[in-house]
Structures are given as C-alpha cells and as structure tokens.
Amino acid sequence: MANSVAPALARRIGLAAQGFGRPHPANPGTRQLNSLVDRLGILQIDSVNVFERSHYLPVFARLGAFDKSALDTLTFAVSGRYIEYWGHEATIMPQASWPLFRWRMQSYRDKSLTDPQSWATANGPFLRWLHAELAEKGPLPASAIEHDANKRVGPWWGWSDVKIGLETLFRWGEIVSAGRAGFERRYALPEQVLPPAVLNRDVPRGDAIRELVRRAAIASGIGTLDDLADYYRLPSADTRTAVSELEDAGELLPVTVPGWLRGAQPRQAWLHSAARRPRTMEASALLSPFDPIVWARSRALRMFDFHYRIEIYTPKPKRVHGYYVLPVLLNDHLSARLDLKNDRAAGILRVQAAWLEPGAPADAADRVAALLRQTAAWQRNETITVAGRGTLAKELAGALGVRPNEDE
C-alpha cells in the first residue's frame, strides 16, 4: 500500500527539489550558478525577449539578482561546461549529459532518413556540404554559413535551407552547439567542442533513460509517471520501465497524493528517497512560462490548482491575462499573474496587467511590489508603471506608490 503525502507537503517537496526555500546569496557567483544548473539539469531557451529571455528567469527566481554576463560566460562559452540540446525543448544542459541523449539523436536520424519524402532525404548533398563547411571552418554561426552557401553552393539552396540543415544535423548529434554570441548559436562538429570523455561515451538506451528518469525525480522531488517523463520528454513506456527499476532499487518510493486523480481514481506518484520534506516554504519569485514549476501545465494545475496558458500567439482581443504573463510564487502558492514588458529604451518596467489568484495571502500586493522593485533593480529599470488592467492592478499600484495608468 503506497504511503499518502498531503497536497501541501507535495507542493513544498516539489519546490524544495527545485531550489526554492533557501536564502538568496548576497552575490551569486560561479559556484552558485553551476550548482543551480546542475540541480535543475536543464534551462529552457526561448527567443521571446519582451521582458527577459527565459533561461535567465529560473536563476533569478532561485538566487535573486545575479550577473547575466556571468551566466553567459558559463553557458555560452565555445567549449565550456555546458552545451545545448533538445533535453526538454531547446535547453542548456551540462556537457556531461549530452551522451544520455544519443538514443534521441539516433531516433531523429532514423525517422528522417527512412522517410523518402523527408527534407533530409531530398537534401543529402547539402547536408554533406554543411558538414564539410564546419569541418573546414567551424565553429560558425548560421549567418556565416548562409553567406558562404549563397556564394559557393548556388541559388538552389537558400538561407532557410541552411537553418533547416543545421537544425537537422543538430538534432541528429552530427553537429553541436559551440556557444552563442549575441544570442546567435554557433555550430561545430562534436570533436571540435566535446572532450574525449564525453565524445566517446556511449550509454545504452535503457541505461540512459533510467538515468534521466532518476535525474527528473531528483529535480521534481515528487511526481507522477507523466511528470517524470515530461521533464526530459521521455517515452512513457521507457519511463515506466525505468521507474519500476528505480523503485526496486529503493530510490523511488510509491506514494499517493489526495486530489491527484486520473478521472475519479487516485494517481500513482513517486517520491524520491532523498527528497527534502520541508515543514514550511518561504519564497517570493517570478516564474518564467518555461520554468520547470509550471512548464507542464497539467502538473501546475494538479499541484497548485493553477490553470496556465501562454497567450503570446492568441489574438489580443481573445487574451484573458495578457501577452507575456509570469506566475508569481509566494511561499508554496501561485498567488498572482503579471503581464510584464521591459521598456529598455525608456528604463521602465511596465506591468501591463496584474491578477490576484484565489487563496493568495493578505499581503500579496506588498510582497509582489517588493518583488517588482527587486526585479526592476536587476533589470536596471528606473521606473515601474502599472496599467489599470487586472484584479490586483489597483492594490499593486498603491503598494508601489504609483497611480494605475488606465490608458496602457
């Protein structure tokens, strides 16, 4: 009979596993940054920059104000400790994790090359040219390769083909990321970037997936089969096998959480044997839409009773909460939503909408105001403005000492 874990404790376990509930260091440096990325396993990358690029936000949420250039130096160096691959979506991960995804690389390759209608099958010569170009000149950004392709390969392959080809080889593991400059990814052959210990490591599929499930369980603290599979986007059947093996080894403990249901039936969940079980949780954080706390919308709903959708691609008249909406974590509750825009030219952090969630603490407006002041200082914004939209807007504006702008 599986043990039962109270829903509030499950929330605290999940948050603690993600690095919440600890005091922020005064000046987060290399040691703290490395420790956090290792704890999370991956930082999801996204190009939307209306407030801040998504991979910086989980770090800010857990460590407080940090030097973004320090994280860039660690994660985007040509041959540093980290590398990019499709770990969840596009993600930064420790270089040593790259071999754990060889099975995924092979799967992508097999799927492309066994389909006679695929782009890769139709463009084999061009893929070989890209490989040769990087062998001769790499590492290179896509823009440099596009320039050479236009001059040397001929008009039948265009700029879009370069990007498709590079991403195809990148998914196959035949080329890798070699850092970024100005957020533009460089590409290289694996042997130009990876040390022999990583390059030559071959992990069988079953062993690799079991290790990824183990890491997902550590990073999640507690989760269902779907939760553990989603962390690294693993196949459900392979995840089930890995969970069974880890349960037999005593590393995963079967539990149930009241209210975690599939239909009317309790859902099976697992607790990592080393997970912390905090009695309380003290936290105040802005969460990226791509933070592991909320990136699995079903888990956010189940764990926090928080229904969350990104509305970037929703037509403006149909948006409910705003364009780029960040959940606000207060202790173990998702207590508010803020639609933020960083007006860098004017030095203004614009709160375009602010919404209060049911069950939020009585001092939510004051705590969100304090969090916004910290955020503005980190972003070097001199001013915070609040539009008049949302159930928290008026009270938040008062806590900030500004007037809500009904025209924004």
Side-chain angles (χ1 to χ4, degrees):
M1 187 79 171
N3 290 327
S4 178
V5 175
L9 178 56
R11 289 196 299 274
R12 296 195 298 270
I13 290 170
L15 290 167
Q18 280 284 303
F20 288 101
R22 301 168 183 265
H24 290 172
N27 294 294
T30 298
R31 182 174 64 83
Q32 290 87 358
L33 293 172
N34 282 331
S35 177
L36 178 60
V37 180
D38 287 346
R39 170 189 288 274
L40 300 182
I42 41 182
L43 289 177
Q44 186 169 334
I45 304 168
D46 189 79
S47 61
V48 176
N49 198 24
V50 63
F51 165 59
E52 181 54 275
R53 295 199 188 277
S54 66
H55 65 284
Y56 294 123
L57 294 178
V59 180
F60 177 61
R62 291 155 177 81
L63 297 181
F66 70 98
D67 183 352
K68 292 187 291 182
S69 66
L71 185 66
D72 290 344
T73 298
L74 290 174
T75 55
F76 293 150
V78 173
S79 187
R81 178 174 175 172
Y82 299 98
I83 198 165
E84 294 178 34
Y85 190 63
W86 290 86
H88 179 77
E89 294 292 328
T91 52
I92 298 164
M93 66 176 69
Q95 233 185 38
S97 299
W98 188 81
L100 297 177
F101 294 93
R102 288 189 188 275
W103 60 272
R104 176 167 290 166
M105 299 168 195
Q106 188 63 47
S107 178
Y108 283 141
R109 193 176 194 279
D110 291 345
K111 183 176 180 180
S112 294
L113 294 184
T114 56
D115 178 2
Q117 304 301 318
S118 73
W119 186 94
T121 300
N123 291 275
F126 186 59
L127 290 174
R128 289 191 288 273
W129 179 84
L130 287 172
H131 194 281
E133 184 80 351
L134 287 171
E136 179 186 353
K137 300 178 179 179
L140 292 173
S143 56
I145 301 172
E146 287 166 345
H147 183 264
D148 280 355
N150 191 46
K151 289 192 306 179
R152 297 173 54 193
V153 181
W156 49 90
W157 278 302
W159 282 22
S160 62
D161 293 303
V162 170
K163 294 174 183 176
I164 293 170
L166 288 171
E167 285 303 304
T168 297
L169 293 173
F170 178 74
R171 284 175 179 268
W172 295 357
E174 293 193 15
I175 65 175
V176 297
S177 66
R180 289 183 180 235
F183 206 64
E184 184 180 14
R185 183 191 286 152
R186 301 184 196 92
Y187 296 89
L189 302 187
E191 58 267 28
Q192 294 170 333
V193 172
L194 297 174
V198 173
L199 187 64
N200 298 327
R201 187 181 176 208
D202 187 16
V203 185
R205 176 188 173 110
D207 293 347
I209 291 179
R210 184 173 58 253
E211 175 60 18
L212 291 171
V213 171
R214 188 186 72 84
R215 295 183 184 191
I218 292 172
S220 301
I222 188 171
T224 64
L225 184 74
D226 290 344
D227 296 337
L228 299 178
D230 181 73
Y231 203 87
Y232 290 106
R233 296 289 168 88
L234 304 172
S236 293
D238 297 87
T239 302
R240 188 180 300 278
T241 298
V243 164
S244 178
E245 293 170 350
L246 291 167
E247 184 180 336
D248 288 344
E251 191 161 357
L252 293 184
L253 308 176
V255 297
T256 58
V257 181
W260 287 22
L261 304 174
R262 186 184 295 278
Q265 299 301 314
R267 295 188 64 156
Q268 179 67 65
W270 287 267
L271 172 71
H272 192 270
S273 59
R276 291 176 53 227
R277 306 182 192 191
R279 293 178 178 271
T280 60
M281 173 58 59
E282 294 183 11
S284 296
L286 287 174
L287 301 182
S288 160
F290 310 107
D291 191 292
I293 295 298
V294 294
W295 68 18
R297 308 311 189 209
S298 60
R299 178 175 168 89
L301 181 61
R302 186 184 342 112
M303 184 170 278
F304 298 98
D305 195 23
F306 189 79
H307 185 274
Y308 185 40
R309 296 291 182 271
I310 297 178
E311 298 180 84
I312 292 174
Y313 304 111
T314 302
K316 187 173 181 179
K318 295 184 178 181
R319 290 179 196 143
V320 176
H321 295 106
Y323 180 75
Y324 194 73
V325 176
L326 286 81
V328 179
L329 176 70
L330 299 180
N331 298 339
D332 66 349
H333 192 268
L334 295 179
S335 298
R337 307 171 195 242
L338 302 178
D339 181 11
L340 295 184
K341 180 178 180 180
N342 191 342
D343 188 341
R344 296 172 180 86
I348 299 173
L349 178 59
R350 299 188 184 276
V351 183
Q352 301 187 116
W355 305 88
L356 193 66
E357 289 294 300
D363 62 349
D366 291 333
R367 292 181 65 181
V368 173
L371 182 57
L372 284 171
R373 291 189 186 100
Q374 296 165 14
T375 303
W378 176 54
Q379 290 290 310
R380 300 182 180 176
N381 298 126
E382 298 176 358
T383 306
I384 303 172
T385 64
V386 180
R389 182 165 182 255
T391 54
L392 184 60
K394 184 176 180 179
E395 192 176 356
L396 178 61
L400 287 165
V402 301
R403 302 184 75 175
N405 186 344
E406 301 294 340
D407 296 328
E408 286 197 22

